[in-house]
Amino acid sequence: MNKKVEFRHLGKMRYAKAWDYQTELFDSIVQSKLENRKRTDRGENAVSTNNYLLFVEHPHVYTLGKSGKEEHLLLDQQGLEKEHVEFFKINRGGDITYHGPGQIVGYPILDLDNFFTDIHKYLRFLEEAVMLTLQDYGIKSGRIDGLTGVWIGEENDPNPRKICALGVKTSRWVTMHGLALNVNADLKYFGNIVPCGISDKAVTSMEQELGHQLDMNEVEGKLKNHLATLFEMELFENQEN
């Protein structure tokens, strides 16, 4: 089991470029696993597959998961152009969501054979890392039964609000896509969609909850550390990337 995870901060990157980038890494891990199967069939030793954790900040974009409904995007093409927002149909689970400046988007590209082969546990660990990060800032958060992501307010709260969305894809126990935590995000962009297909619950951000903007680098550092601890990652950064 290889728990070494290479952390790469992609900075500000358009969604399509980041999607291609993580797809390339994802495909390389899947291909390595297929090659390993051939090696072990020949009685040879398997080689370790790589793991990656990507952080990125996207310009304004809406993404629609494979189980989502296009009518949950409330803008036509002219409206998207007016708001300077891109739109992509993608291959993760879940419905429609928004990415933009002031939001931490995390893409763990992990071979779960190196950690645990349990998608439910994987999603819960992503949520837990976010909840621990929010707790560092005095924000109480939790889960709502039957819904993914991280929420402010309990299930029976009259105003539950989502602060972090999740959507993943897995193949041969390799993951891609991930989480989006609203730190200083402009929440007005959520008004142009039915976020995650949920029409009766609001969206919030750390800035909205605390009443002031936060240092993105600081929040990223805390989130990265909580992910590393929960997954028992051996995080490292390749200075060449």
Side-chain angles (χ1 to χ4, degrees):
M1 296 176 73
N2 174 26
K3 291 189 177 250
K4 291 182 179 178
V5 178
E6 182 175 342
F7 175 74
R8 297 182 180 179
H9 200 301
L10 306 183
K12 292 178 172 63
M13 183 180 287
R14 291 182 68 175
Y15 187 82
K17 185 176 180 180
W19 189 10
D20 287 345
Y21 186 70
Q22 62 167 322
T23 299
E24 181 182 331
L25 297 177
F26 174 87
D27 288 345
S28 71
I29 297 174
V30 171
Q31 187 59 40
S32 292
K33 296 190 78 169
L34 292 174
E35 289 299 321
N36 273 339
R37 177 176 291 180
K38 294 177 184 176
R39 291 173 65 91
T40 53
D41 285 347
R42 295 194 297 261
E44 301 173 7
N45 292 329
V47 297
S48 295
T49 51
N50 295 329
N51 305 287
Y52 302 92
L53 175 61
L54 311 179
F55 276 5
V56 66
E57 195 173 355
H58 293 306
H60 304 298
V61 62
Y62 297 121
T63 66
L64 181 69
K66 58 187 178 182
S67 59
K69 298 179 179 178
E70 197 160 346
E71 58 263 33
H72 290 162
L73 173 65
L74 307 180
L75 295 175
D76 57 15
Q77 186 58 40
Q78 186 177 0
L80 288 169
E81 292 171 4
K82 182 179 178 182
E83 295 290 337
H84 305 289
V85 188
E86 294 185 297
F87 172 64
F88 293 95
K89 296 178 183 178
I90 61 174
N91 60 353
R92 61 161 170 78
D95 206 287
I96 193 165
T97 195
Y98 161 77
H99 298 312
Q103 185 186 72
I104 299 173
V105 180
Y107 296 132
I109 306 175
L110 308 177
D111 179 0
L112 290 182
D113 274 322
N114 291 320
F115 301 91
F116 47 78
T117 50
D118 184 331
I119 298 301
H120 178 80
K121 181 176 179 180
Y122 174 69
L123 291 169
R124 301 298 79 79
F125 270 24
L126 294 184
E127 292 168 346
E128 186 69 22
V130 171
M131 289 190 287
L132 289 169
T133 302
L134 295 171
Q135 184 177 300
D136 289 337
Y137 291 90
I139 301 174
K140 183 180 178 182
S141 62
R143 301 178 177 91
I144 293 180
D145 241 9
L147 301 174
T148 59
V150 178
W151 298 78
I152 309 296
E154 302 301 325
E155 187 168 0
N156 296 321
D157 191 294
N159 181 33
R161 42 221 188 272
K162 194 170 198 174
I163 197 166
C164 178
L166 264 65
V168 303
K169 174 191 173 180
T170 61
S171 177
R172 299 182 184 275
W173 295 112
V174 180
T175 68
M176 67 180 290
H177 301 295
L179 61 87
L181 172 61
N182 299 327
V183 182
N184 303 318
D186 187 342
L187 300 179
K188 76 176 184 183
Y189 286 90
F190 287 97
N192 297 323
I193 60 174
V194 180
C196 303
I198 303 168
S199 60
D200 63 342
K201 293 178 174 62
V203 177
T204 190
S205 67
M206 295 178 72
E207 178 186 12
Q208 176 92 349
E209 296 298 317
L210 295 174
H212 60 82
Q213 287 203 341
L214 292 99
D215 183 312
M216 290 287 289
N217 291 330
E218 181 183 87
V219 181
E220 286 172 348
K222 291 179 184 297
L223 177 58
K224 179 174 69 171
N225 289 338
H226 287 308
L227 286 167
T229 300
L230 286 166
F231 284 89
E232 299 179 349
M233 297 174 175
E234 299 173 32
L235 272 183
F236 70 98
E237 294 188 46
N238 188 336
Q239 299 304 317
E240 295 180 2
N241 292 299

